[in-house]
């Protein structure tokens, strides 16, 4: 009987200790929004639960939303990577949606003049290559310049346990790498927002009036499965885990599965050796014109491998070593921007071992971990 009682207590404890996102921690931020004109930066990932979107929730709570600002892929998250997203009206709420992807990637003073406070809620995947952190950077900058307070509703990082890869050389700063962080930084967007502010990385060293609403019942040892795909080509946990390791292929002539149902879970090209696995990209929900559209590609299927716990470069090295024409493998500019330096390409071309390449990252990772320490929210 005692054992049964103990089991019941444990089950009850676990159920009450479920992770709650910043958006679900609404008793902390709703009082800050009452009577204010609010801007909301969000997309399909900004949910309270599986049935309720943040925007709908705020409308129900009589919060006055002036404008929705949408990042890459749009408010509903259906646009291809890099596709132009136009301003529009949300059919459900009638609210205006302003795109922050394309020429207008930062709110203008005119767009902010009737906004008293800004709310930011996007689901990140823990890599500097994902454009949502760049969107957050620009929102923070615009808020600082126009004296608009910013509330970041934090969400778990599904790759929070991994800090790995080369730290960005600022000479290769871009929209997919704005800060001197490694490819996998092991931080939530709330923690990154604190770091961006604290390190004065915004233009001219400005700082915004920042409030981070933390996740509850969350720590760095916990795994987290995304309830909504964060972008069209990340359909499941496996793709989120492999994303940054395979994203480096975007700087090469190798496909990482866009135009298939296994995006960021396979890789291949017509120039790799024929083997037991092949795929043919075709237009689909995630990519209307994928690389090697209609052409057979040879490579590897990683969709069933165990979860990885580091930046994996062995597939990149193998593909380079076995490609038909090494001189056509790398697109130097695209690859350097993604790697964050020119060195990684040079190391691979020179035949440097994977272990030596990893060792070359260690000093940068050590310094980064020391720098980020004051900004961490979760133990």
């Amino acid at each position: 009987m005692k054992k049964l009682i103990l089991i019941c207590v444990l089950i009850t404890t676990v159920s009450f200790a479920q992770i709650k996102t910043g958006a679900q921690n609404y008793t902390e931020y709703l009082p800050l929004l009452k009577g204010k004109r609010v801007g909301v930066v969000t997309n399909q990932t900004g949910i309270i639960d599986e049935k309720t979107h943040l925007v709908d929730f705020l409308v129900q709570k009589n919060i006055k939303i002036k404008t929705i600002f949408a990042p890459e892929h749009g408010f509903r998250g259906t646009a291809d990577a890099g596709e132009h997203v136009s301003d529009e009206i949300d059919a459900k709420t009638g609210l205006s949606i302003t795109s922050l992807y394309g020429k207008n990637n930062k709110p203008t003073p005119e767009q902010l003049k009737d906004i008293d406070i800004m709310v930011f809620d996007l689901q990140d995947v823990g890599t500097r290559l994902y454009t949502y952190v760049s969107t957050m950077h620009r929102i923070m900058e615009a808020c600082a310049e126009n004296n608009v307070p910013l509330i970041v509703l934090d969400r778990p990082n599904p790759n929070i346990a991994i800090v790995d890869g080369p730290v960005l050389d600022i000479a290769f700063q871009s929209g997919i790498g704005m800060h001197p962080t490694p490819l996998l930084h092991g931080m939530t967007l709330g923690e990154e927002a604190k770091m961006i502010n604290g390190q004065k990385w915004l233009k001219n060293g400005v700082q915004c009036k920042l409030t981070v609403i933390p996740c509850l019942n969350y720590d760095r040892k916990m795994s987290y499965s995304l309830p909504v795909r964060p972008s069209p080509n990340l359909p499941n946990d496996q793709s989120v885990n492999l994303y940054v390791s395979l994203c480096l292929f975007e700087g090469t002539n190798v496909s990482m599965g866009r135009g298939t149902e296994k995006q960021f879970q396979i890789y291949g090209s017509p120039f790799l050796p024929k083997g037991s696995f092949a795929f043919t990209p075709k237009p689909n929900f995630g990519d209307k014109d994928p690389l090697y559209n209609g052409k057979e590609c040879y490579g590897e299927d990683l969709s069933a491998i165990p979860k990885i716990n580091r930046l994996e470069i062995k597939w990149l090295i193998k593909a380079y070593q076995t490609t038909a024409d090494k001189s056509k493998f790398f697109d130097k500019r695209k690859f350097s921007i993604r790697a964050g330096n020119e060195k990684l390409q040079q190391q691979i071309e020179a035949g440097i071992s994977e272990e030596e390449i990893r060792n070359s990252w260690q000093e940068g990772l050590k310094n980064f971990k020391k720098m980020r320490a004051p900004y961490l929210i979760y133990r």
Side-chain angles (χ1 to χ4, degrees):
M1 185 66 179
K2 286 183 179 179
K3 285 184 178 179
L4 180 60
I5 292 172
L6 179 60
I7 290 170
C8 291
V9 170
L10 285 174
I11 291 172
T12 303
T13 302
V14 170
S15 66
F16 277 107
Q18 279 187 326
I19 296 170
K20 290 190 175 181
T21 65
Q24 292 171 309
N25 191 5
Y26 46 80
T27 57
E28 293 294 317
Y29 64 86
L30 282 179
L32 304 176
L33 304 180
K34 291 291 183 182
K36 303 287 180 63
R37 297 170 298 180
V38 181
V40 182
V41 185
T42 191
N43 63 3
Q44 79 286 351
T45 66
I47 57 172
I48 300 291
D49 56 45
E50 61 183 15
K51 296 180 180 178
T52 311
H53 191 279
L54 174 68
V55 167
D56 301 327
F57 173 75
L58 293 178
V59 169
Q60 291 166 12
K61 295 295 181 180
N62 297 314
I63 300 299
K64 187 176 182 180
I65 299 176
K66 292 292 293 183
T67 307
I68 300 168
F69 294 93
E72 182 181 12
H73 308 298
F75 178 51
R76 298 299 177 187
T78 56
D80 286 358
E83 182 180 343
H84 175 75
V85 179
S86 301
D87 295 349
E88 56 184 329
I89 299 295
D90 180 43
K92 185 172 183 180
T93 62
L95 294 168
S96 64
I97 301 170
T98 298
S99 173
L100 292 178
Y101 193 75
K103 290 182 179 180
N104 179 44
N105 59 21
K106 174 181 170 181
T108 64
E110 180 69 19
Q111 291 166 341
L112 294 178
K113 73 174 184 178
D114 292 326
I115 291 176
D116 299 318
I117 193 166
M118 187 77 82
V119 175
F120 182 99
D121 185 20
L122 294 174
Q123 176 63 64
D124 194 49
V125 296
T127 168
R128 71 162 186 257
L129 297 181
Y130 216 55
T131 59
Y132 296 168
V133 68
S134 302
T135 298
M136 184 175 72
H137 176 110
R138 295 180 182 115
I139 289 290
M140 291 176 69
E141 198 167 87
C143 287
E145 292 168 346
N146 293 276
N147 198 30
V148 176
L150 174 66
I151 298 174
V152 172
L153 306 183
D154 210 8
R155 289 183 179 270
N157 171 1
N159 290 307
I160 199 166
I162 313 174
V163 182
D164 202 11
V167 171
L168 175 77
D169 178 342
I170 290 299
F172 296 92
Q173 192 175 41
S174 73
I176 53 172
M178 299 187 76
H179 311 121
T181 64
L183 278 167
L184 286 155
H185 48 65
M187 301 178 78
T188 65
L189 279 181
E191 292 172 329
E192 280 201 273
K194 290 177 63 179
M195 183 167 66
I196 290 167
N197 229 21
Q199 295 298 124
K200 297 186 176 181
W201 285 340
L202 302 177
K203 188 178 179 181
N204 298 321
V206 296
Q207 293 175 298
C208 75
K209 186 178 179 183
L210 174 69
T211 301
V212 176
I213 305 299
C215 303
L216 301 177
N217 311 317
Y218 180 56
D219 66 50
R220 314 190 90 75
K221 299 185 184 72
M222 289 181 173
S223 60
Y224 184 70
S225 180
L226 302 189
V228 177
R229 69 167 75 188
S231 52
N233 284 296
L234 291 180
N236 53 33
D237 291 345
Q238 187 77 341
S239 63
V240 169
N241 182 229
L242 292 171
Y243 169 72
V244 69
S245 296
L246 296 191
C247 200
L248 289 172
F249 279 122
E250 290 193 319
T252 73
N253 65 358
V254 175
S255 163
M256 70 298 299
R258 292 184 188 274
T260 74
E261 296 306 310
K262 291 185 177 181
Q263 307 100 317
F264 291 97
Q265 300 156 81
I266 58 179
Y267 75 89
S269 86
F271 312 111
L272 294 179
K274 290 185 179 181
S276 58
F277 177 71
F279 63 93
T280 303
K282 296 178 181 178
N284 68 356
F285 167 74
D287 198 331
K288 297 180 180 68
D289 185 24
L291 180 66
Y292 302 128
N293 185 2
K295 296 181 180 178
E296 192 169 41
C297 297
Y298 315 107
E300 284 190 81
D301 184 351
L302 309 174
S303 61
I305 68 168
K307 184 176 180 179
I308 60 174
N309 59 7
R310 65 181 186 177
L311 176 69
E312 199 59 81
I313 58 171
K314 64 183 180 183
W315 303 307
L316 179 67
I317 293 172
K318 178 181 178 181
Y320 174 75
Q321 290 175 343
T322 58
T323 193
D325 185 348
K326 291 180 174 56
S327 69
K328 296 180 179 178
F329 185 81
F330 285 108
D331 180 317
K332 184 177 180 180
R333 185 187 68 83
K334 286 184 178 180
F335 187 81
S336 296
I337 286 173
R338 284 159 178 78
N341 60 46
E342 290 181 331
K343 188 175 181 180
L344 181 56
Q345 177 179 338
Q346 293 167 353
Q347 289 171 319
I348 293 172
E349 289 176 333
I352 303 298
S353 71
E354 181 181 348
E355 183 180 5
E356 287 180 87
I357 293 173
R358 290 188 178 283
N359 286 339
S360 71
W361 303 339
Q362 296 313 306
E363 184 178 355
L365 289 171
K366 180 181 176 182
N367 293 336
F368 169 73
K369 287 178 182 178
K370 184 177 179 180
M371 179 188 69
R372 77 172 190 158
Y375 308 113
L376 299 184
I377 299 171
Y378 312 99
R379 60 181 176 85

